[in-house]
Amino acid sequence: GSADIFTLSQAVTAVTGGVVFNVRCDATRFGEAVFVVGNHESLGAWSAAKAVALTTCAESFPTWRSAPIQLPAGMTVEYKFIVQREDRQTLPQWENFDGNHLVTPVAGQVLQARSDWGSADIFTLSQAVTAVTGGVVFNVRCDATRFGEAVFVVGNHESLGAWSAAKAVALTTCAESFPTWRSAPIQLPAGMTVEYKFIVQREDRQTLPQWENFDGNHLVTPVAGQVLQARSDWGSADIFT
């Protein structure tokens, strides 16, 4: 649990718009979750292993939703929802209809893309982005997970769960990148001092989380129009690139 981080900034040259993916789905069983996967790398590039996990809670079930995901404005984004174990160790169950959902991000707006599981129909609500934001990709090297567990990031903004482990953002890894875990780009207010920590908990969030063990929190300040890569090590004072 090291408080040290370093950030790399990447200018956002493409104009982007945000999409929050929502689906009403009661087809999950214990230990399973809903994911969104699609034709852009931020949606896993059609790989179920890299799909973006959606979250739900007792108050909102059976509606599952993603964090806002930045995608190229004007691009025809194709996607589907899948149900799979939260540890991604089983074959996914895909929505069963011809073709894919389609949504076109709008520059400077966040679209709420809503649909029902198994239906090709969607509807969208747009919300103008009035606050200036910057993107952050959270990266951590962590080999402290056990079977059925994952790394999450949680912090002092609602997009990071507002310090609630139940609403923390799941990071993903794969055989090629383990033990590095990373988030999708998360839009946060530019200039805000974002405080956060990584936690390890069961992918179904049904156990007490293990928090990084150091005084204080990681800090990062998003930069308008850029995407920061914030990297740190779990359990080590060393930093890496």
Side-chain angles (χ1 to χ4, degrees):
S2 170
D4 297 329
I5 67 167
F6 71 94
T7 57
L8 297 174
S9 68
Q10 171 187 348
V12 178
T13 55
V15 178
T16 62
V19 181
V20 177
F21 295 91
N22 302 260
V23 63
R24 285 177 54 88
C25 176
D26 60 5
T28 54
R29 296 173 296 183
F30 180 78
E32 294 180 331
V34 180
F35 298 72
V36 62
V37 63
N39 67 337
H40 189 270
E41 61 182 6
S42 293
L43 297 177
W46 292 119
S47 168
K50 299 178 181 178
V52 177
L54 278 63
T55 59
T56 190
C57 62
E59 292 74 20
S60 61
F61 184 82
T63 297
W64 298 71
R65 70 188 297 271
S66 73
I69 298 174
Q70 292 295 305
L71 294 160
M75 173 184 177
T76 300
V77 177
E78 300 186 36
Y79 66 96
K80 268 185 171 166
F81 297 105
I82 59 176
V83 169
Q84 61 183 343
R85 279 191 55 86
E86 291 166 325
D87 59 14
R88 307 168 193 244
Q89 296 302 304
T90 55
L91 289 175
Q93 175 187 352
W94 291 72
E95 290 187 282
N96 186 20
F97 61 84
D98 292 335
N100 303 305
H101 298 298
L102 303 176
V103 66
T104 303
V106 178
Q109 296 188 14
V110 175
L111 299 181
Q112 296 281 341
R114 306 178 190 276
S115 59
D116 287 330
W117 172 267
S119 171
D121 298 328
I122 67 168
F123 72 93
T124 59
L125 299 174
S126 67
Q127 172 189 349
V129 178
T130 55
V132 178
T133 62
V136 180
V137 177
F138 296 91
N139 303 260
V140 64
R141 285 177 53 91
C142 176
D143 60 4
T145 54
R146 296 174 295 184
F147 180 76
E149 295 180 330
V151 180
F152 297 72
V153 61
V154 64
N156 67 336
H157 187 271
E158 60 183 6
S159 294
L160 297 177
W163 291 120
S164 168
K167 298 179 181 179
V169 177
L171 278 63
T172 59
T173 191
C174 62
E176 293 75 20
S177 61
F178 185 82
T180 298
W181 299 71
R182 71 187 297 271
S183 73
I186 298 174
Q187 291 296 304
L188 294 160
M192 173 184 177
T193 300
V194 177
E195 301 186 35
Y196 67 96
K197 269 185 173 168
F198 296 104
I199 59 176
V200 169
Q201 60 182 345
R202 279 191 55 87
E203 291 166 325
D204 60 13
R205 307 169 194 244
Q206 297 303 305
T207 55
L208 289 176
Q210 175 187 353
W211 292 71
E212 289 189 283
N213 186 21
F214 60 84
D215 293 334
N217 304 304
H218 298 299
L219 304 176
V220 66
T221 303
V223 178
Q226 296 187 14
V227 176
L228 300 181
Q229 296 282 340
R231 308 177 190 272
S232 58
D233 272 338
W234 175 282
S236 170
D238 298 331
I239 60 173
F240 65 97
T241 60

